[in-house]
Amino acid sequence: MEKPAYPFIIPDIPRTSEWIPVYERVFETGIYANFGPISRSLETSLAARYAVSGYEAVTCCSATQGLLAALLARFDAGMNIALPNFTFAATYHAIRLAGLNPVPVDIDADTLEISIESLAEAMGKMTLHGVVSVRPFGLVRDQSHLIAFCRDRRLPLTFDAAASLGGASLPKFGSDDGEVEVFSLHATKVFAIGEGGVILAPADAAVEIRKKLNFGFEADRRYSTGTNGKMDELHAAIALSQLGRVDEMQQAREEIAHRYDSFFASVPGARTLQGVTRGSGWTMYPVVFEGQSADEIVRKAQGRGIETRRYYWPSVSNAVGASLPTPVSLEVSNRVSNQIVCFPVYSANAGNLRDGLFEALGGLFA
């Protein structure tokens, strides 16, 4: 297949000259993994930049492993965990791998995030023990209503915020209610290092999560259920180097997102997401096309050299099938998953592609 002129993803990772001097420290310490000094330094920097006071950062080898560890630390096997029916496969997989039962609920049509009304309806029909909400596409919004809902019902809340690490203008993550946030540092994200993740959690929860990432070991070497999810020092060195670049990268992505806002405002049947917090991690630009075929738009975009993708398609219930409990209607999430198309967003190193991308885009809807 011919390489598209405007690929969906262009990873923006620091050059070796930027992170090798950081990694040189491992040869002095002899520690290459297992929460070594570089990853610990990274944790301190990430917590200071992104978390409220009283929260800590815990690095991990991927967001999926981080979410798994957070769930293992907070729940017992067999518990029922609500998740939005509109999410990436990793959310479902982490819940399953933790020995928990995923219960899909519907999303809000405007935000594409978990619907509190659907969540409340599900609670009226079955026992729920916790909630995994999703910040779709790296977009950060005020979650105080959901946090209060879960607090009042004593439902531990975890956010799959995989793509949401962005600029310093983001509000701090975390609150007195103790929700846990899990982020990805995958090559497709704004804060990209290749593969990796970070969890932001209250200090006491962070201790337990760290144990679960290290096979569930206690200090005396007894162990409970756990996994090997630690970040190695090589990726921690890349991440420390990325910290100095992320603001410029995120700002470039946000500028492209604003251009998309203006462009799609005049496209009939195109609905974009509103109310997004400044500094969000714009990994892609989602558009819900009402009355138009998502597959046809993807095909036409490909013909103009623009690589687009359908996220999150199919929905969890359609991907997994009849094995899932479905206590509530999933109409909105199933409909949206069939209507949404995501467009590429680039970082600072791909600025030369911006004008050409929008020129090609203009012909797509002419």
Side-chain angles (χ1 to χ4, degrees):
M1 181 180 294
E2 184 179 349
K3 183 178 179 181
Y6 306 100
F8 189 68
I9 297 292
I10 301 180
D12 194 351
I13 295 175
R15 292 184 175 276
T16 54
S17 59
E18 297 179 52
W19 57 262
I20 282 180
V22 181
Y23 188 61
E24 289 284 350
R25 302 177 201 168
V26 303
F27 298 100
E28 301 170 7
T29 64
I31 301 173
Y32 294 84
N34 293 357
F35 303 113
I38 299 178
S39 64
R40 288 289 192 159
S41 177
L42 173 63
E43 290 174 345
T44 299
S45 298
L46 290 171
R49 180 185 179 98
Y50 291 113
V52 299
S53 176
Y55 269 58
E56 294 183 3
V58 181
T59 54
C60 51
C61 63
S62 73
T64 306
Q65 287 291 298
L67 186 55
L68 169 60
L71 295 172
L72 288 173
R74 307 185 89 190
F75 301 103
D76 296 324
M79 289 184 168
N80 298 325
I81 308 298
L83 76 161
N85 191 45
F86 185 69
T87 186
F88 187 61
T91 316
Y92 166 84
H93 287 316
I95 295 172
R96 278 288 195 209
L97 288 169
L100 306 169
N101 303 316
V103 180
V105 299
D106 216 353
I107 59 171
D108 180 273
D110 294 325
T111 65
L112 308 189
E113 295 171 356
I114 201 166
S115 163
I116 294 178
E117 291 74 19
S118 183
L119 185 57
E121 183 183 352
M123 290 187 68
K125 296 181 177 180
M126 64 183 296
T127 299
L128 295 179
H129 301 95
V131 176
V132 174
S133 189
V134 173
R135 298 184 184 271
F137 312 114
L139 307 181
V140 178
R141 288 188 176 89
D142 175 34
Q143 298 289 342
S144 56
H145 294 301
L146 177 61
I147 292 170
F149 177 93
C150 292
R151 177 196 63 218
D152 293 345
R153 291 154 184 80
R154 298 185 178 180
L155 288 172
L157 174 61
T158 306
F159 283 101
D160 181 344
S164 296
L165 278 190
S169 57
L170 276 174
K172 300 278 189 174
F173 292 101
S175 74
D176 291 341
D177 294 303
E179 68 274 9
V180 172
E181 303 261 3
V182 182
F183 306 89
S184 173
L185 307 182
H186 190 268
T188 56
K189 306 301 186 284
V190 178
F191 199 123
I193 68 171
E195 188 66 271
V198 61
I199 306 131
L200 298 180
D204 56 346
V207 171
E208 295 304 313
I209 292 169
R210 198 180 298 276
K211 291 178 186 176
K212 296 301 184 182
L213 287 167
N214 190 30
F215 304 99
F217 279 129
E218 300 288 346
D220 61 4
R221 301 298 284 180
R222 291 181 300 154
Y223 52 86
S224 57
T225 306
T227 184
N228 182 12
K230 304 178 294 295
M231 177 183 284
D232 65 88
E233 294 292 83
L234 174 63
H235 285 91
I238 299 173
L240 274 176
S241 300
Q242 191 70 300
L243 265 174
R245 308 172 69 242
V246 70
D247 279 348
E248 181 184 5
M249 294 158 54
Q250 190 280 331
Q251 184 177 352
R253 288 174 175 266
E254 198 154 57
E255 289 173 0
I256 293 178
H258 290 326
R259 288 187 67 174
Y260 275 126
D261 287 342
S262 299
F263 175 84
F264 281 109
S266 61
V267 175
R271 181 164 62 86
T272 60
L273 303 188
Q274 306 300 313
V276 179
T277 299
R278 181 171 171 262
S280 288
W282 286 98
T283 58
M284 60 191 75
Y285 189 90
V287 183
V288 178
F289 290 96
E290 298 168 340
Q292 301 185 58
S293 166
D295 280 337
E296 182 67 7
I297 290 169
V298 170
R299 187 189 65 78
K300 287 182 177 179
Q302 183 179 3
R304 298 192 64 81
I306 305 170
E307 184 182 10
T308 60
R309 294 186 186 174
R310 297 181 60 186
Y311 280 86
Y312 305 104
W313 177 86
S315 65
V316 175
S317 60
N318 284 329
V320 176
S323 63
L324 285 177
T326 52
V328 296
S329 169
L330 304 173
E331 187 274 330
V332 176
S333 48
N334 285 330
R335 171 167 48 83
V336 168
S337 72
N338 286 320
Q339 295 176 326
I340 199 162
V341 178
C342 295
F343 293 81
V345 178
Y346 302 132
S347 292
N349 76 337
N352 59 312
L353 294 178
R354 294 181 211 171
D355 291 340
L357 169 64
F358 281 91
E359 183 177 342
L361 197 64
L364 179 61
F365 297 98

